[in-house]
Amino acid sequence: MVDVQRASKMADRIQEIVARRLEKGIKDPRIGFVTITDVKVTGDLQHASIFYTVYGTDEERADSAAALKSATGMLRTEVGKNITARLTPSLEFIPDGIPENAASIDRLLQEARQRDADSQSLAETAQYAGDADPYVKPREFGEADEADNEADRP
């Protein structure tokens, strides 16, 4: 049976433990400015997916990913010492796509703003294709209309 609340608490605790350990420092010079953004633990508490971001270039991201992969055993030991579970979950580090997604969304919003500005400028100089008021107005009854109405009567 899956206890979602327990898995959530364990995920929060793992995030805190790993972040604290990374803050203290790992003796790997490849690790850069890493931020743990989220942790997801499976329902059976056997596996933890740790999402992280790295501030820097693509090369620094790749180096940090390699450093985290090599430090997984040490970090798992640290997690095992600091949680109250019978089994220590396996750890998997996954680069988080938040910065790339945010940049993509910003780019799309900028494009939408530009298109809105373009359509607004076109609307300001636009002219009607037909009459300015294309809706039919009720006619005023005149003599010609009264003659048509009398002809229709039996």
Side-chain angles (χ1 to χ4, degrees):
M1 182 170 202
V2 176
D3 187 1
V4 178
Q5 190 174 18
R6 183 169 184 215
S8 176
K9 284 181 182 179
M10 183 176 277
D12 291 342
R13 183 74 179 130
I14 290 172
Q15 181 175 0
E16 180 184 319
I17 293 166
V18 172
R20 187 171 12 107
R21 184 65 181 117
L22 290 175
E23 187 179 301
K24 285 182 183 177
I26 295 178
K27 295 180 183 179
D28 194 336
R30 298 177 294 174
I31 197 150
F33 187 68
V34 176
T35 303
I36 305 298
T37 56
D38 195 15
V39 176
K40 301 288 184 193
V41 177
T42 58
D44 60 359
L45 308 176
Q46 294 295 311
H47 183 75
S49 299
I50 302 172
F51 296 91
Y52 69 95
T53 58
V54 178
Y55 182 75
T57 64
D58 289 337
E59 182 181 333
E60 290 171 335
R61 287 186 189 113
D63 288 344
S64 294
L68 287 172
K69 184 172 177 131
S70 68
T72 300
M74 185 270 302
L75 291 170
R76 183 173 184 218
T77 302
E78 187 80 18
V79 167
K81 289 178 184 176
N82 291 297
I83 62 171
T84 57
R86 188 170 59 96
L87 299 172
T88 303
S90 62
L91 304 180
E92 176 186 16
F93 288 93
I94 302 170
D96 204 347
I98 289 175
E100 292 82 14
N101 291 342
S104 173
I105 290 170
D106 284 342
R107 190 174 57 253
L108 290 173
L109 288 173
Q110 183 61 30
E111 182 181 332
R113 283 187 204 103
Q114 183 61 40
R115 287 185 181 184
D116 286 346
D118 291 345
S119 61
Q120 181 67 27
S121 65
L122 286 174
E124 290 172 356
T125 60
Q127 296 179 355
Y128 293 108
D131 294 333
D133 190 8
Y135 298 106
V136 176
K137 305 282 188 241
R139 293 188 291 178
E140 298 291 328
F141 279 108
E143 293 179 15
D145 291 332
E146 288 179 11
D148 288 341
N149 287 341
E150 288 179 10
D152 290 338
R153 293 186 199 151

